[in-house]
Amino acid sequence: MSQDRDRLRDLSARLLRLHGILLDRERLAYEERHGSVASRELLHLLLHDEHFSWLRSLSSMIAKIDEVVDADEPLPPESLQSAFREAHRLLKSGTGGAFQDKYHLALQDSPDVIMAHAAVSRVLSDSGSGPGTR
């Protein structure tokens, strides 16, 4: 089971890196329109401002993974595959939605996003979490 926790920690770390890059991009875009934002204000914006709302699904996913990893209880067997499936659905599905639309634009626009996406993709492909995986 510690191997499963390690895999979830790896997924979380890669998602967190991706989230950080996306958040930096959104912060710059926000600051172009509204002026400089102090670091302490950024969390409030991430949680409450419409401009950052598309990132909340990724933030929430990372928090859920970390909660499972950090729990004292044994890791439920379905937690690992569920986390990997959810990450695959959010980042790689062809479905539309606020996150997917903005994420695809970021992928087209930023080599840093592409590299972080590739790092997450490697971990997802190692898990066999693609479409049709149960």
Side-chain angles (χ1 to χ4, degrees):
M1 280 296 173
S2 103
Q3 183 180 14
D4 288 347
R5 281 190 199 279
D6 290 344
R7 289 175 67 200
L8 281 175
R9 277 188 192 99
D10 190 25
L11 176 62
S12 176
R14 291 174 192 229
L15 289 170
L16 191 59
R17 169 88 175 117
L18 175 62
H19 185 275
I21 292 167
L22 294 170
L23 181 57
D24 287 346
R25 288 174 42 82
E26 286 304 303
R27 180 183 190 169
L28 289 173
Y30 184 88
E31 288 179 337
E32 284 178 7
R33 284 182 293 221
H34 303 283
S36 184
V37 173
S39 294
R40 67 183 178 279
E41 294 173 53
L42 188 58
L43 179 60
H44 179 78
L45 290 171
L46 180 60
L47 294 173
H48 303 289
D49 192 276
E50 188 61 31
H51 181 85
F52 295 89
S53 65
W54 72 278
L55 285 171
R56 291 181 196 134
S57 55
L58 182 57
S59 305
S60 175
M61 179 190 312
I62 295 166
K64 287 177 193 172
I65 291 170
D66 290 347
E67 185 179 320
V68 169
V69 167
D70 294 339
D72 291 332
E73 305 87 49
L75 186 67
E78 67 279 355
S79 292
L80 180 70
Q81 283 306 316
S82 175
F84 278 82
R85 274 194 313 272
E86 181 64 16
H88 185 276
R89 184 199 61 73
L90 186 64
L91 301 179
K92 298 172 119 346
S93 75
T95 62
F99 180 86
Q100 286 80 6
D101 294 345
K102 292 221 179 200
Y103 186 61
H104 288 289
L105 288 174
L107 279 168
Q108 294 171 8
D109 201 37
S110 169
D112 291 335
V113 174
I114 291 170
M115 296 303 291
H117 176 85
V120 173
S121 294
R122 279 191 296 279
V123 115
L124 292 177
S125 67
D126 290 346
S127 76
S129 64
T133 302
R134 293 183 179 254

